[in-house]
Amino acid sequence: MERANSHAHTAAPLRLLPWPSPDGKPCYLVTDNNGGYLSRLADDLETTQLATGTDVLGRARQVLDDPMSPYAEIRYAGIRLAECLTDALRVAESRGMRMIGAMDKEEDEGAHGEARRNGGHEPRS
């Protein structure tokens, strides 16, 4: 009987990138290397998107707090807020996916470590 390899290669987790494809669909990066060029570019863009969202929120509040703000300014503020919220939700989803992936990886490594201590057998639930 063949024994399962405790070091079997698991698929690299997908990273949701902070930009959509040209047709508006989500873009994903498959990599084991969080320090790679695209990962760093995505990290930088996420930081920029969140900072932009903070700036737009501050400016939108000024427009919305002024009862004399013209309709066009209010509409523009709403459009920009929607864009920034879309970006922030994408960043949150991406980071959440990476956190879950990291927790799953830790659990897998813990189970494999336990299996090695138990003579190659996986722990029982």
Side-chain angles (χ1 to χ4, degrees):
M1 180 157 76
E2 207 172 271
R3 199 169 95 185
N5 183 358
S6 65
H7 298 289
H9 178 70
T10 57
L14 295 177
R15 177 183 178 164
L16 177 63
L17 294 172
W19 55 81
S21 69
D23 58 347
K25 294 182 181 178
C27 288
Y28 294 91
L29 175 64
V30 180
T31 182
D32 289 341
N33 183 2
N34 288 331
Y37 175 77
L38 281 178
S39 291
R40 288 191 319 270
L41 182 64
D43 290 342
D44 291 346
L45 184 55
E46 285 181 354
T47 299
T48 299
Q49 288 173 325
L50 295 176
T52 299
T54 300
D55 184 49
V56 168
L57 179 59
R59 293 177 190 272
R61 285 189 175 165
Q62 292 173 346
V63 170
L64 296 173
D65 286 345
D66 182 357
M68 300 305 290
S69 291
Y71 170 79
E73 286 184 27
I74 294 170
R75 187 173 191 293
Y76 180 76
I79 291 168
R80 294 291 294 143
L81 286 169
E83 291 169 352
C84 291
L85 179 58
T86 299
D87 290 342
L89 291 173
R90 189 181 300 115
V91 169
E93 181 180 0
S94 176
R95 290 181 180 182
M97 289 169 57
R98 285 182 276 157
M99 285 176 57
I100 290 170
M103 289 188 305
D104 289 345
K105 185 177 178 181
E106 286 176 9
E107 288 175 5
D108 287 346
E109 288 172 355
H112 291 310
E114 182 69 24
R116 282 189 296 274
R117 286 189 295 277
N118 291 333
H121 301 289
E122 293 290 332
R124 295 183 186 202
S125 300

